[in-house]
Amino acid sequence: MLRKKLPTWRRYLTVEPVIFFYAYGLMMSFPILGQYVYSVISKLKGFPYEQLLLQKEGLGCQVHFAGANNTLGDIEKEVQSLATKIITGNTFFSTIPALIVAPFWGPWTDKSRRRKPALLAPAIGAFLGNVVMLMVMYFEWPLYVMFIGSALAGLSGFLPTLSLAVMAYIADTTEKNEVAFRLAIMQMLVFMIGVVSQLTSGFWIHRFGFIVPTWFSLGCYLICGLWVIFLVPESHEKATHEKHNFFDIKSLKVLVNIFRKQREVGRKSLLLLVFVVAILTLTTMGLEGVTNLFVMRSPLCFGPKLVGYFLACRMFFDGLGGAVGVKLLGKFFSELTTCGISVVSQIVEMVFLAFATRTWLVFAAPILGCFKASAYPIITSILSRIVGDDEQAYLFVIASLFCTIGIINIFSLNLGMMFFNSVYERTLHLTFGGFVFLLCAAIKLIPFCVFSCVQVPPTGEHQEKGEELELKDDDENRNKQDEKLLKEKEKDENQETKHENGTSREAVAIDPDAIELMKPTDD
């Protein structure tokens, strides 16, 4: 295997730095984009956002909106409405092209036996997208020009393609008993990156403005691409350079067959769990843009530093609570019950955030929702067991199942962004600004109805125990049958012996003349 040929210090430094630098640049670019759009629109509309920023914990900028004069409030609503549309459009142009391209990357890399193009393409696309964003900032071009950069990033495959390429590379270069450990390392990297990038992004924006952190994000993508080119060896030693059709319709048939194939526990459970994943993605990731705008709105008026701290706080408790929740809750509850607790945690966070009017209330919401990330790994585990072990070995290489889930996540993210941003925009005139979070909490009740209809296959340990019990029962039954057969055989032999003895006795008793003939006679 290729990994064994590398030095010891390089075995965990192949695709790990790729995901590190790409995720760092991506997670830092999200708050930069949202706050830059909000800042530019505020200047265009004459809204004094920078003067109303919250400097210390308290009532935020509520005092500036008190009184009979509602002009400032009306301007803020216009800023929020236009910023919502820009952020929605940017998400649309980055996700829809990725939704079209991602399903073809996995099968193409399998046919060509080359993973590096799928690792390199997202880095190039993100690099070009950041170049466009820097040009918009330097030359003060209209915000709509950023849609071009988002489209370039989407056409390269975006994050789903990079994730599929990383999983396939790990499957190619790692022993089966070490795959879980390497994936755990990847999850730890993403968790660490999320916290650090969100903490530093707010400080950088507050201290240096938007251009410097954007350059830093661009540098992350550049390092990512250079690492793939020069320091990531091809996973297959015999990579083919033959031309293969990229947009092959057979690639889509592979994804469709996942849902068409009959399963031991029923195809219904697979479809229902995929539906649950879509609902959770729609109500979680689809609400991110609205959440950022909500905390920047009066009466909170979070500035760049507080927005960064808040996002880092959410990332920290999501990562920590998700890992602890799966391990801790799994000891006392079943898998579906643990998923239900995770959904309840999400609902509590949404309700708490809807009524948050002070800084400490906003930061307390992620703490209450700390178990919300526990549902995703459990559902993924159940899906992998439904697919089956023999098929999963094939699916893991081409990542068809994960590709399908990734596509559904992209679609749900885009749908959630458009839906919740539209609801948020239409409810800006209301005094109560948290209606969108209450609506989101209500939609999260749907998984509870679905969980009751899902049939969960047993885990590997339960299957092994069941097989051992069945083998023991079979052995005991066989021993009992053998003993029974031996007893019946002995009984038959005894009966035959008795029958023969009885027959000889009857013969002697019936023929007395023979006895007389046998007596000696006197001559």
Side-chain angles (χ1 to χ4, degrees), residues 33-150:
L33 173 66
Q35 294 181 64
Y36 177 75
V37 169
Y38 198 82
S39 177
V40 171
I41 296 176
S42 296
K43 292 179 180 179
L44 291 176
K45 297 293 183 179
F47 179 68
Y49 170 66
E50 296 181 358
Q51 287 74 27
L52 299 177
L53 292 181
L54 181 63
Q55 298 296 333
K56 61 182 179 178
E57 199 274 335
L59 291 176
C61 54
Q62 187 176 20
V63 65
H64 298 280
F65 292 85
N69 187 5
N70 295 324
T71 304
L72 202 59
D74 294 336
I75 298 175
E76 184 192 34
K77 293 175 184 177
E78 292 182 17
V79 172
Q80 289 263 323
S81 177
L82 187 54
T84 302
K85 293 177 181 177
I86 297 293
I87 294 174
T88 303
N90 192 75
T91 304
F92 179 85
F93 278 97
S94 62
T95 55
I96 294 301
L99 187 66
I100 298 172
V101 174
F104 299 99
W105 266 114
W108 182 86
T109 58
D110 285 330
K111 290 183 292 185
S112 64
R113 301 177 67 84
R114 298 166 63 194
R115 308 298 187 190
K116 291 182 67 172
L119 292 170
L120 183 61
I124 295 175
F127 181 86
L128 295 176
N130 261 39
V131 169
V132 174
M133 190 170 179
L134 280 172
M135 294 176 68
V136 171
M137 293 178 180
Y138 272 112
F139 300 106
E140 297 183 354
W141 288 347
L143 296 175
Y144 297 104
V145 178
M146 290 191 299
F147 294 166
I148 300 175
S150 300

Side-chain angles (χ1 to χ4, degrees), residues 52 83 199 300 343 363 371 379 392 394 398 417 451 454 488:
L52 299 177
L199 279 174
L300 296 169
V343 175
F363 280 86
F371 292 131
I379 294 176
Q392 189 179 356
Y394 172 70
I398 66 169
M417 288 283 288
F451 286 148
V454 174
E488 290 179 354

Side-chain angles (χ1 to χ4, degrees), residues 187-493:
Q187 291 179 351
M188 182 186 67
L189 281 175
V190 173
F191 162 71
M192 181 178 64
I193 292 164
V195 175
V196 176
S197 63
Q198 302 302 333
L199 279 174
T200 55
S201 64
F203 175 79
W204 282 41
I205 294 172
H206 179 78
R207 185 72 179 270
F208 304 106
F210 297 102
I211 294 179
V212 172
T214 305
W215 271 109
F216 183 82
S217 179
L218 184 72
C220 289
Y221 294 133
L222 179 61
I223 296 174
C224 176
L226 294 176
W227 189 280
V228 173
I229 295 172
F230 297 107
L231 295 175
V232 176
E234 191 60 69
S235 59
H236 291 287
E237 296 180 358
K238 296 181 180 180
T240 62
H241 294 278
E242 299 177 2
K243 291 184 178 180
H244 295 278
N245 187 14
F246 184 82
F247 294 100
D248 191 353
I249 195 66
K250 293 181 180 179
S251 302
L252 300 179
K253 291 182 179 179
V254 173
L255 305 181
V256 174
N257 288 335
I258 295 175
F259 301 101
R260 294 180 61 184
K261 184 177 179 179
Q262 295 294 332
R263 310 289 174 184
E264 293 183 2
V265 297
R267 189 172 52 186
K268 181 183 71 172
S269 297
L270 178 67
L271 296 174
L272 289 176
L273 287 176
V274 170
F275 175 71
V276 169
V277 171
I279 293 294
L280 294 179
T281 303
L282 184 143
T283 55
T284 303
M285 298 177 65
L287 202 66
E288 291 296 325
V290 169
T291 304
N292 294 342
L293 291 174
F294 177 78
V295 297
M296 295 169 66
R297 178 187 179 186
S298 62
L300 296 169
C301 292
F302 277 19
K305 285 197 299 184
L306 275 179
V307 171
Y309 295 158
F310 170 64
L311 295 177
C313 178
R314 292 187 69 184
M315 181 68 68
F316 176 79
F317 283 103
D318 286 354
L320 181 63
V324 174
V326 172
K327 195 72 174 178
L328 180 63
L329 299 178
K331 291 183 178 181
F332 303 99
F333 304 101
S334 65
E335 289 179 308
L336 292 181
T337 303
T338 304
C339 291
I341 295 174
S342 174
V343 175
V344 170
S345 184
Q346 296 179 31
I347 293 174
V348 172
E349 180 186 8
M350 290 295 100
V351 174
F352 205 80
L353 192 59
F355 295 96
T357 56
R358 297 176 67 94
T359 304
W360 73 269
L361 293 174
V362 175
F363 280 86
I367 300 175
L368 296 175
C370 61
F371 292 131
K372 71 177 184 180
S374 301
Y376 297 100
I378 294 176
I379 294 176
T380 303
S381 175
I382 297 174
L383 287 173
S384 64
R385 298 204 304 272
I386 292 176
V387 168
D389 293 337
D390 55 340
E391 186 181 0
Q392 189 179 356
Y394 172 70
L395 288 176
F396 188 77
V397 176
I398 66 169
S400 296
L401 176 62
F402 299 102
C403 180
T404 305
I405 296 175
I407 293 171
I408 292 173
N409 285 339
I410 294 175
F411 179 78
S412 301
L413 168 64
N414 195 65
L415 181 63
M417 288 283 288
M418 291 189 295
F419 175 72
F420 288 116
N421 287 359
S422 177
V423 172
Y424 181 72
E425 181 184 355
R426 293 178 181 274
T427 56
L428 285 172
H429 66 281
L430 300 177
T431 305
F432 176 66
F435 173 79
V436 65
F437 298 108
L438 296 181
L439 178 62
C440 178
I443 296 176
K444 288 180 182 291
L445 293 173
I446 296 176
F448 284 105
C449 302
V450 177
F451 286 148
S452 61
C453 303
V454 174
Q455 183 181 357
V456 179
T459 59
E461 296 180 357
H462 292 162
Q463 287 178 342
E464 291 176 358
K465 291 180 180 178
E467 290 175 358
E468 292 178 357
L469 292 174
E470 289 179 359
L471 290 174
K472 290 180 179 179
D473 293 339
D474 292 341
D475 292 337
E476 291 178 358
N477 292 332
R478 287 171 184 170
N479 293 332
K480 290 180 180 178
Q481 289 178 358
D482 293 339
E483 292 176 359
K484 187 176 181 181
L485 289 174
L486 289 173
K487 289 181 180 179
E488 290 179 354
K489 188 176 181 180
E490 291 176 358
K491 186 177 180 181
D492 292 340
E493 291 177 352

